[in-house]
């Protein structure tokens, strides 16, 4: 009898372990498929993240963001509502890679729910006004990838959310695409297979070229999927009158999966979600891969499916309609074996025009070694007493007298400084040192009213570093890189997330610089760390 009990116990343990691992989902052509059986995966998702104003961290201060996957009790509280609404995916906008996520990830895995996560966070993301792809961001993004790597229920990652949001800031998109390239290379180098994509807003002037831009080019550079935050179906509407038909026609030739990374217009409440039957119908599933409703939590913007108060959850009328519609869908699923040549199809990048001016040439991959070599070679450096908020003024002063192209960037022309990925302090020290050398190394040329000082002694550089320094000195601009991997780590001052206009968000104003001087002006802006950043979740 004891043997039977032991066998049953062993069987249950094995079964439980197996049940916790969900099958991997992969991209084939313009669709997601389960890797184990080749059946199409359609996203039945919910945006899952509370606004920072709603909760405080353990110190009692309002935190920059609330990590929704670090609160095991909350995940267990909410999962039953995910199950009731036929949910198979959650979108989370910011996570803290230093926290433990095992409990939440297992809770959702056991319920058959995958996670699609944004790699950025409010103070470390690509800023549409002054875009950079630098060491700080590389480290932030890779740390999130590392944190998720051991979980089976990871659907993929967003490398950016609405960074370019209109035709005045399309030059920010090369920086996001560089992030995609480098995250894909990093993931591949680790032997993992998570897809990386982009989430766009629904701007009528750029919605087509921006999708084409992220889908175009070499496999190692292009996005693995494209999400669009779209709120066109409001109240009672139809496939034709809502705009869904037009969007489907516009994206029918896209060579990567496209889905609604947010949807759920709330101009009419309660939301009855009549669009769901259409999203998962044969009219759309050959082009679209489902969608993510915005959002789980009821907050000031009135998009919630439920209202949460501590451990108590109260469903809104929206939830009843949403769950009813989601449980009524009966989509037809494609098979990966039927994709054929479309799986490897490539697209040409959109040409420059009145509404699109993003270079296909991408910024270089951040390389910590290059930055360290340059820093160790400098004789004149910025003082530690100088606040980072004052860097912009120093840049403006120095770069009015010397060529600062080594630290400047321009995503419109595809011109990127050879050390543009280094942190802001190192870049400022580089240009201060260049000015000092241009003045025949006079001591008073390294003062700047006490903002700079001479290094007492510089370490003897290794031969490899000498080559790096010589290369940067001879070639201030880096060639737009493709699929390269940098041994990147390090830090620089924070930059803000490019969130933008949808029916639920406030638009930001940004003009992409078109010349070196304008680029340096934009650089001064991003270095003003005290400057605010746009709303991240609302």
């Amino acid at each position: 009898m004891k043997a039977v009990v032991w066998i049953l116990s062993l069987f249950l343990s094995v079964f439980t372990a197996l049940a916790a691992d969900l099958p991997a989902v992969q991209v084939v052509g313009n669709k997601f498929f389960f890797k184990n059986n080749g059946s199409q995966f359609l996203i039945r998702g919910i945006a899952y993240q509370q606004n920072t104003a709603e909760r405080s961290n353990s110190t009692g201060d309002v935190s920059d963001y609330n990590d929704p996957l670090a609160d095991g009790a909350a995940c267990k509280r909410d999962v039953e509502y995910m199950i009731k609404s036929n949910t198979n995916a959650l979108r989370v906008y910011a996570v803290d890679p230093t926290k433990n996520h095992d409990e939440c990830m297992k809770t959702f895995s056991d319920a058959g729910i995958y996670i699609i996560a944004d790699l950025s966070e409010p103070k470390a993301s690509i800023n549409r006004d002054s875009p950079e792809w630098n060491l700080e961001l590389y480290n932030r993004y890779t740390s999130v990838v590392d944190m998720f790597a051991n979980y089976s229920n990871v659907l993929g990652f967003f490398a950016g959310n609405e960074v370019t949001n209109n035709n005045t800031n399309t030059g920010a998109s090369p920086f996001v695409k560089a992030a995609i390239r480098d995250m894909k290379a990093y993931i591949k180098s680790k032997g993992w297979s998570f897809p990386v994509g982009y989430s766009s807003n629904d701007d009528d002037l750029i919605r087509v070229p921006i999708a084409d831009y992220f889908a175009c080019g070499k496999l190692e550079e292009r996005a693995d999927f494209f999400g669009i935050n779209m709120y066109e179906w409001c109240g009672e509407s139809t496939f034709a009158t809502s705009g869904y038909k037009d969007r489907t026609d516009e994206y029918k030739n896209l060579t990567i999966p496209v889905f609604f990374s947010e949807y759920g217009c709330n101009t009419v409440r309660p939301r009855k979600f009549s669009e769901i039957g259409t999203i998962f119908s044969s009219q759309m599933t050959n082009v679209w891969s489902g969608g993510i409703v915005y959002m789980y939590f009821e907050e000031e913007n009135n998009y919630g499916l439920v209202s949460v108060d501590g451990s108590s959850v109260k469903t809104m009328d929206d939830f009843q309609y949403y769950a009813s519609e989601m449980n009524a869908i009966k989509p037809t699923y494609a098979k990966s074996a039927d994709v054929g040549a479309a799986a490897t199809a490539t697209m040409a990048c959109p040409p420059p025009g009145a509404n699109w001016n993003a270079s296909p040439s991408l910024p270089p991959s951040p390389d910590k070694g290059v930055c360290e070599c340059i820093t160790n070679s400098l004789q004149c450096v910025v003082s530690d007493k100088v606040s980072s908020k004052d860097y912009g003024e120093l840049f403006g002063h120095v770069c009015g007298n010397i060529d600062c192209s080594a630290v400047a960037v321009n995503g419109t022309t595809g011109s990127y400084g050879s050390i543009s990925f280094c942190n802001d302090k190192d870049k400022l020290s580089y240009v201060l040192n260049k000015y000092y050398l241009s003045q025949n190394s006079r001591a008073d040329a390294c003062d700047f009213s006490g903002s700079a000082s001479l290094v007492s002694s510089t370490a003897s550089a290794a031969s490899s570093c000498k080559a790096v320094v010589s290369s940067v000195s001879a070639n201030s601009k880096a060639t737009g890189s493709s699929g390269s991997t940098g041994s990147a780590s390090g830090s620089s001052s924070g930059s803000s997330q490019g969130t933008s206009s949808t029916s639920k968000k406030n638009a930001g104003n940004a003009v992409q610089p078109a010349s070196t001087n304008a680029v340096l002006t934009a650089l001064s802006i991003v270095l003003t760390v005290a400057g605010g950043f746009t709303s991240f979740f609302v």
Side-chain angles (χ1 to χ4, degrees):
M1 184 65 180
K2 290 183 179 180
V4 173
V5 172
W6 180 82
I7 291 172
L8 287 173
S9 177
L10 179 63
F11 174 79
L12 288 173
S13 297
V14 172
F15 178 80
T16 300
L18 291 174
D21 284 338
L22 295 182
V25 176
Q26 64 180 350
V27 171
V28 182
N30 73 334
K31 297 177 177 64
F32 294 102
F33 293 95
F34 286 108
K35 194 171 183 178
N36 62 344
N37 61 16
S39 179
Q40 186 179 3
F41 180 89
L42 295 173
I43 297 172
R44 308 188 304 272
I46 296 177
Y48 184 65
Q49 189 134 10
Q50 282 185 286
N51 194 325
T52 55
E54 301 297 320
R55 298 174 63 192
S56 298
N57 61 26
S58 59
T59 66
D61 299 324
V62 176
S63 60
D64 293 327
Y65 60 91
N66 298 299
D67 184 339
L69 301 180
D71 188 339
C75 293
K76 290 179 178 178
R77 174 198 67 197
D78 297 331
V79 69
E80 67 173 284
Y81 301 96
M82 312 298 183
I83 295 171
K84 288 178 181 178
S85 57
N86 195 23
T87 300
N88 69 359
L90 300 177
R91 179 181 181 180
V92 295
Y93 294 83
V95 295
D96 184 345
T98 67
K99 293 182 178 180
N100 187 289
H101 301 85
D102 291 350
E103 192 171 4
C104 281
M105 292 301 290
K106 184 180 187 306
T107 295
F108 292 129
S109 179
D110 289 346
I113 296 172
Y114 293 80
I115 303 297
I116 185 166
D118 289 59
L119 294 171
S120 59
E121 55 102 338
K123 289 185 178 179
S125 51
I126 297 170
N127 184 329
R128 72 169 72 96
D129 296 333
S130 302
E132 291 184 281
W133 174 234
N134 56 28
L135 283 168
E136 178 201 22
L137 296 178
Y138 184 98
N139 289 338
R140 160 68 196 185
Y141 285 26
T142 54
S143 69
V144 174
V145 172
D146 289 343
M147 185 274 289
F148 277 111
N150 293 324
Y151 302 117
S152 65
N153 57 325
V154 177
L155 181 59
F157 301 105
F158 289 113
N161 179 63
E162 300 188 356
V163 179
T164 289
N165 70 333
N166 60 50
N167 64 355
T168 70
N169 48 44
T170 61
S173 284
F175 298 87
V176 183
K177 200 166 180 179
I180 291 172
R181 174 203 64 204
D182 290 348
M183 290 307 99
K184 290 178 66 169
Y186 180 78
I187 289 167
K188 183 178 180 180
S189 74
K190 295 288 187 178
W192 304 327
S193 57
F194 307 117
V196 185
Y198 177 70
S199 175
S200 177
N201 71 316
D202 181 29
D203 182 88
D204 60 341
L205 296 179
I206 65 168
R207 64 165 70 101
V208 173
I210 196 170
D212 291 348
Y213 182 79
F214 280 100
C216 76
K218 300 175 183 178
L219 179 62
E220 60 266 29
E221 292 182 351
R222 74 184 190 185
D224 292 316
F225 57 81
F226 181 80
I228 182 168
N229 301 334
M230 193 164 79
Y231 294 82
E232 293 187 1
W233 189 304
C234 298
E236 294 298 331
S237 192
T238 67
F239 179 57
T241 60
S242 65
Y244 277 23
K245 182 180 185 301
D246 292 336
R247 305 294 83 75
T248 301
D249 288 341
E250 288 166 349
Y251 293 144
K252 65 183 179 182
N253 294 319
L254 205 64
T255 55
I256 58 176
V258 58
F259 58 93
F260 297 109
S261 43
E262 291 176 4
Y263 74 93
C265 173
N266 71 346
T267 57
V268 179
R269 292 199 79 178
R271 296 182 289 177
K272 295 186 176 181
F273 293 104
S274 56
E275 67 264 45
I276 287 174
T278 301
I279 291 172
F280 293 94
S281 74
S282 58
Q283 290 177 304
M284 295 187 68
T285 53
N286 190 48
V287 174
W288 299 86
S289 293
I292 299 168
V293 69
Y294 191 86
M295 65 167 300
Y296 183 74
F297 298 99
E298 175 72 353
E299 295 177 340
E300 291 181 0
N301 58 8
N302 298 318
Y303 276 88
L305 298 176
V306 306
S307 176
V308 174
D309 183 10
S311 61
S312 175
V313 177
K314 179 183 178 182
T315 59
M316 313 291 290
D317 289 341
D318 285 20
F319 179 84
Q320 310 303 332
Y321 286 109
Y322 176 75
S324 176
E325 289 290 339
M326 288 302 299
N327 282 293
I329 63 172
K330 295 180 180 179
T332 299
Y333 296 98
K335 299 292 288 185
S336 60
D338 298 330
V339 174
T344 56
T346 59
M347 294 184 64
C349 292
N355 295 313
W356 189 258
N357 280 290
S359 174
S361 179
L362 307 181
S365 299
D367 191 323
K368 179 184 178 183
V370 168
C371 298
E372 289 181 341
C373 284
I374 293 298
T375 301
N376 292 335
S377 73
L378 302 178
Q379 302 171 51
C380 176
V381 299
V382 64
S383 170
D384 292 335
K385 297 178 182 179
V386 177
S387 171
S388 57
K389 69 180 181 180
D390 296 324
Y391 285 1
E393 183 178 351
L394 281 169
F395 266 109
H397 176 72
V398 176
C399 294
N401 294 283
I402 62 170
D403 176 15
C404 287
S405 56
V407 300
V409 293
N410 190 321
T412 298
T413 62
S415 176
Y416 310 104
S418 53
I419 60 167
S420 58
F421 48 75
C422 297
N423 72 49
D424 299 326
K425 185 176 182 180
D426 290 346
K427 287 187 288 189
L428 179 54
S429 291
Y430 174 83
V431 299
L432 292 174
N433 187 74
K434 185 174 181 179
Y435 176 81
Y436 166 73
L437 295 177
S438 74
Q439 301 300 308
N440 299 315
S441 302
R442 296 195 331 266
D444 62 347
C446 183
D447 182 63
F448 298 96
S449 301
S451 295
S453 62
L454 290 170
V455 177
S456 56
S457 62
T458 56
S460 178
S463 58
S464 58
C465 266
K466 290 180 180 179
V468 169
V469 173
S470 297
S471 177
V472 171
S473 298
N475 303 287
S476 60
K477 295 181 181 179
T479 303
S481 59
S482 169
S484 59
T485 55
S487 55
S489 62
S491 64
S492 81
S493 64
S495 61
S496 60
Q497 171 68 12
T499 55
S500 71
S501 172
T502 65
S503 65
K504 75 177 197 318
K505 300 178 181 176
N506 294 322
N509 293 320
V511 179
Q512 173 63 30
S515 68
T516 300
N517 288 336
V519 171
L520 292 170
T521 300
L523 183 60
S524 298
I525 295 172
V526 77
L527 291 169
T528 307
V529 177
F533 49 85
T534 56
S535 172
F536 195 68
F537 303 124
V538 180

